[in-house]
Amino acid sequence: MKTLAPLAALISALLLPAAHAALTTPPAQSAEQIAEQVAAEQGDANAQFRLGVRYEKGSGVPQDFAKAATWYRQAATQGMPEAQNNLAVLYLNGQGVNQNDAEALAWFRKAATQGQAEAQLNLGAMLMNGQGTPKNDDEAVVWTRKAAAQGQLMADYNLAIMMREGRGLPQDDAAAVALFRKVAEQGVAIAQSNLGLMYKLGRGVAQDYQLALSWLRKGVAQKSAMAQANLGVLYLEGKGVAQDDNEAVVWFRLAAEQGLAPAQNDLGIMLQNGRGIAQNDTDAAFWFRKAAEQGDASAQYNLAFMYDTGRGLAQDHAEAVRWYLKAAKQDFPQAQYALGTMFQNGTGTAQSDKEAILWFRKAAEQGHAFAQASLARMYLDGQGAESDLRAAADWFQKAADAGDPFAGQELKALFENDFGLSQDDILAAAQLRQAASQGNAVAQRKIGLMYEAGKGVPSSTDRAVVWYRKAALQGDQIAQYRLGVMYEQGWGVLRDLQQARHWYGKAAEQGDARAQNALADIYNNARGVAVDSTVAATWYRKAAEQGLPQAQFNLGRMYEKAWGVEQDVAQALAWYRKAADKGVPDAQYRLGLFYQDGIGVAKDEALALGWFRKAAEQDLPEAKAKLE
């Protein structure tokens, strides 16, 4: 059964202040007005600006935004920043001119570049919101900081939002709280509401419902819609106050009637569920639409659901698809799952398995259990993609882990019927996943190995890295070595030789011979570090003494070439022989050379040819050349 989205957390949106340069001159007398008009008509920018303010405010003249815009424009084209800012605000609000965000942005930028503080604030806010331009958090921070340095309180508020959300600035709840508090203490209601929210959530401060309530009530006293909505949530959840659905509805309605979209959505949910108010689907749909038309993704989903089920309005699957799509494009997982179902069934839209699998995947990747199971079934049946039994098994497992009661049964049926995967592999993967999720390092490492090899699960170096890291951080030396390999080769992660050296070192110190050899290679070949043959020889020796054939060959080379150790042909010969006996072709070839040239041993062409032949049989080109 479809369910409504949960109540929104009511995180505040950025507000674009409609700031204006102030009229600093006292109200003019008639004669002065005439003189001002004459000066303006003669091209005096200050007079043009003052006349624009008069018409905008209706000060001594009838209010006329079109005339205000005309006079502001004349002063603005002469470079007056205050006029440029005020003209931009008229474009932003569509007063006296056609509403035009791009024009507003252009005039704000002209004024901001000249240091006009309000314009800097407004330009920063437009860049934050993506009004008239693509969002640009980095540039928004630059202009907002300039405005804050000139004492613009709302610039501090906007910087707090950016810090809280990690947009253009490092995410820092504590710093955001400090700025919210600074602005809130100056009586700004929206900052008081946000400060209360931070106390409610325990972000940047210790969670304290009483302080949350105190700050929200300050905002409510100023009729802040955001404060009203957040206070409604406190009553709904019974945090800091006695739980009271009726009181929650009161506050949601007050905020909703002021046009706050999350509150409109929450009021719709209360009406839909009959909580604190008589159940009424028609009224619920009314408020969902109000919020949906403002772009609230949860409300768009809820409105689509009403159309889909015919609750509160006439059933219309095409309209349901339209609103599901709007919410889905905002990464709302419930809408993505519902949209996938509509495409899969051809309800309200043309049937399309490819579209269905696309939207199921988007929701599945956000952890939506039903979407994960639906995606698994599509892979199982080859709908919208080639049949992939390993992918089906993987998504069934995810869905089961996320709580879908049927996905576990379908996974069991998958391997019991032996549709192509090894039953043992799938069962092992399921058992290992359970142990790994409980923190078992060996299980985590084995899951990583399975993803790297594609055994029992879809091959995925990205997933392998995730599990190797979990095990490596718990000290599993094999996982540490494999993580080093992933970083060295750039498998599932960006290639990073420093990280490779770090993880090889961790495993090498625990005695892993392969890691010791790999760490020696890094120092011997200057891979991300300066050449240090002495360190390389030390690690080759540790690995060689554990019987690792490649390390034995490498140590032989160190003795032959006097790299990091004194030259010792006898030692070189001894280590080459150990490696050659274990089938290392390079060691067999070097041993052949020693016998051919009589290095450390009596010349013996027959033995030399014997070793060359062994190396040639393993396709070593140099050895093949010796036999031609």
Side-chain angles (χ1 to χ4, degrees):
M1 176 181 288
K2 296 177 183 176
T3 58
L4 293 177
L7 290 166
L10 297 171
I11 302 295
S12 71
L14 297 173
L15 295 181
L16 182 68
H20 290 72
L23 174 62
T24 56
T25 56
Q29 301 299 313
S30 297
E32 292 173 322
Q33 290 179 29
I34 293 171
E36 189 174 78
Q37 180 84 26
V38 170
E41 291 172 350
Q42 291 178 349
D44 184 287
N46 288 318
Q48 291 167 342
F49 170 67
R50 290 196 300 271
L51 199 52
V53 172
R54 287 189 184 281
Y55 278 111
E56 183 180 3
K57 302 297 184 185
S59 175
V61 294
Q63 188 177 49
D64 189 326
F65 290 116
K67 287 184 178 180
T70 297
W71 288 114
Y72 283 150
R73 188 184 307 279
Q74 292 191 41
T77 55
Q78 294 191 66
M80 187 177 189
E82 291 80 7
Q84 292 168 341
N85 178 72
N86 287 9
L87 180 59
V89 172
L90 293 183
Y91 271 112
L92 192 65
N93 297 327
Q95 294 174 309
V97 292
N98 291 330
Q99 199 283 334
N100 191 318
D101 286 341
E103 277 291 310
L105 185 82
W107 286 110
F108 279 141
R109 191 179 294 279
K110 289 179 183 291
T113 302
Q114 296 188 69
Q116 216 280 336
E118 292 165 355
Q120 291 170 341
L121 168 64
N122 290 329
L123 177 59
M126 292 194 78
L127 289 162
M128 291 160 72
N129 289 332
Q131 284 182 266
T133 181
K135 285 184 180 180
N136 188 327
D137 289 339
D138 292 337
E139 190 183 358
V141 167
V142 170
W143 289 111
T144 306
R145 277 180 164 163
K146 288 179 182 291
Q150 295 196 66
Q152 290 289 319
L153 261 186
M154 288 306 296
D156 286 322
Y157 169 79
N158 286 353
L159 286 173
I161 294 290
M162 301 291 272
M163 289 174 180
R164 183 176 68 187
E165 298 179 0
R167 294 178 52 191
L169 291 167
Q171 201 283 330
D172 190 335
D173 284 340
V177 165
L179 283 178
F180 282 142
R181 189 184 307 280
K182 174 183 175 182
V183 182
E185 288 174 347
Q186 296 298 311
V188 177
I190 190 67
Q192 293 168 339
S193 178
N194 275 279
L195 183 56
L197 185 61
M198 299 299 272
Y199 274 111
K200 174 186 181 293
L201 300 175
R203 290 183 57 177
V205 288
Q207 191 172 55
D208 190 323
Y209 294 121
Q210 291 305 315
L211 281 174
L213 187 65
S214 173
W215 281 108
L216 289 176
R217 288 202 184 281
K218 290 179 187 291
V220 164
Q222 298 189 64
K223 295 183 170 54
S224 163
M226 188 63 63
Q228 291 167 343
N230 284 326
L231 184 57
V233 173
L234 288 183
Y235 275 108
L236 186 69
E237 297 176 352
K239 303 290 178 62
V241 291
Q243 199 283 332
D244 190 329
D245 286 347
N246 295 323
E247 194 71 12
V249 166
V250 169
W251 293 109
F252 286 152
R253 186 180 295 280
L254 286 171
E257 288 173 349
Q258 290 197 65
L260 187 68
Q264 292 170 338
N265 182 59
D266 286 345
L267 181 57
I269 292 173
M270 301 297 276
L271 285 159
Q272 175 77 354
N273 295 330
R275 290 187 61 180
I277 191 171
Q279 198 279 339
N280 189 316
D281 284 340
T282 302
D283 285 353
F286 170 83
W287 287 110
F288 287 148
R289 188 182 302 279
K290 289 271 190 188
E293 289 173 347
Q294 293 191 67
D296 186 282
S298 178
Q300 290 168 343
Y301 168 76
N302 288 335
L303 181 60
F305 176 77
M306 303 292 272
Y307 273 117
D308 201 4
T309 57
R311 294 182 60 179
L313 35 73
Q315 189 174 49
D316 187 330
H317 293 308
E319 273 296 286
V321 167
R322 187 169 77 87
W323 286 107
Y324 280 143
L325 182 59
K326 289 179 182 291
K329 286 181 176 179
Q330 295 192 66
D331 288 329
F332 197 77
Q334 293 95 324
Q336 291 169 337
Y337 168 66
L339 189 60
T341 301
M342 303 295 270
F343 276 112
Q344 185 179 42
N345 298 329
T347 306
T349 184
Q351 197 280 337
S352 173
D353 286 340
K354 287 188 177 180
E355 284 290 318
I357 203 170
L358 181 151
W359 291 110
F360 283 147
R361 180 180 297 282
K362 287 180 181 291
E365 289 173 347
Q366 294 193 67
H368 193 288
F370 293 162
Q372 291 168 340
S374 294
L375 185 59
R377 294 183 195 104
M378 295 197 78
Y379 275 119
L380 185 61
D381 297 334
Q383 292 179 287
E386 290 185 10
S387 179
D388 188 333
L389 297 178
R390 282 196 168 89
D394 188 48
W395 284 112
F396 275 137
Q397 183 65 63
K398 288 178 182 295
D401 292 345
D404 185 330
F406 301 107
Q409 298 174 22
E410 293 181 86
L411 177 62
K412 183 179 179 183
L414 176 64
F415 67 75
E416 281 185 347
N417 289 318
D418 194 15
F419 287 148
L421 286 175
S422 161
Q423 297 178 17
D424 291 339
D425 285 345
I426 298 176
L427 184 58
Q431 292 171 336
L432 281 172
R433 195 188 308 277
Q434 183 177 2
S437 66
Q438 294 172 354
N440 185 292
V442 173
Q444 291 169 341
R445 177 239 297 165
K446 287 183 177 179
I447 287 285
L449 291 168
M450 293 176 76
Y451 274 114
E452 187 177 353
K455 182 179 179 183
V457 293
S459 176
S460 172
T461 53
D462 292 356
R463 300 285 297 282
V465 166
V466 169
W467 288 106
Y468 284 150
R469 190 184 307 281
K470 289 178 183 291
L473 290 171
Q474 293 195 68
D476 185 282
Q477 67 186 57
I478 298 174
Q480 291 169 339
Y481 166 68
R482 292 308 307 167
L483 192 54
V485 172
M486 305 304 267
Y487 274 110
E488 183 175 15
Q489 300 300 325
W491 294 339
V493 288
L494 292 176
R495 189 168 182 265
D496 188 332
L497 293 176
Q498 297 300 326
Q499 282 292 317
R501 179 168 61 90
H502 169 78
W503 290 110
Y504 283 148
K506 290 282 189 184
E509 288 168 2
Q510 292 196 72
D512 189 285
R514 293 172 303 170
Q516 291 167 341
N517 183 69
L519 186 59
D521 281 343
I522 283 178
Y523 281 103
N524 197 41
N525 299 315
R527 303 186 67 189
V529 294
V531 171
D532 193 330
S533 298
T534 302
V535 172
T538 298
W539 286 113
Y540 280 141
R541 185 183 305 282
K542 290 180 182 291
E545 289 174 347
Q546 291 193 68
L548 188 69
Q550 189 61 43
Q552 292 170 336
F553 165 73
N554 289 335
L555 186 57
R557 288 283 285 172
M558 303 299 275
Y559 276 110
E560 182 185 358
K561 301 297 184 181
W563 293 338
V565 292
E566 290 185 8
Q567 191 173 45
D568 189 329
V569 173
Q571 283 287 328
L573 187 65
W575 287 111
Y576 282 151
R577 191 179 301 281
K578 288 178 183 290
D581 288 339
K582 293 175 181 175
V584 177
D586 290 310
Q588 293 167 340
Y589 175 72
R590 298 302 303 171
L591 201 54
L593 290 178
F594 274 39
Y595 278 109
Q596 181 185 63
D597 299 332
I599 302 173
V601 292
K603 283 187 178 183
D604 190 326
E605 288 292 334
L607 280 175
L609 284 172
W611 285 113
F612 288 147
R613 188 171 291 109
K614 287 181 181 290
E617 288 171 354
Q618 297 190 66
D619 293 325
L620 190 70
E622 305 95 300
K624 288 182 177 180
K626 288 290 186 180
L627 298 177
E628 293 176 353

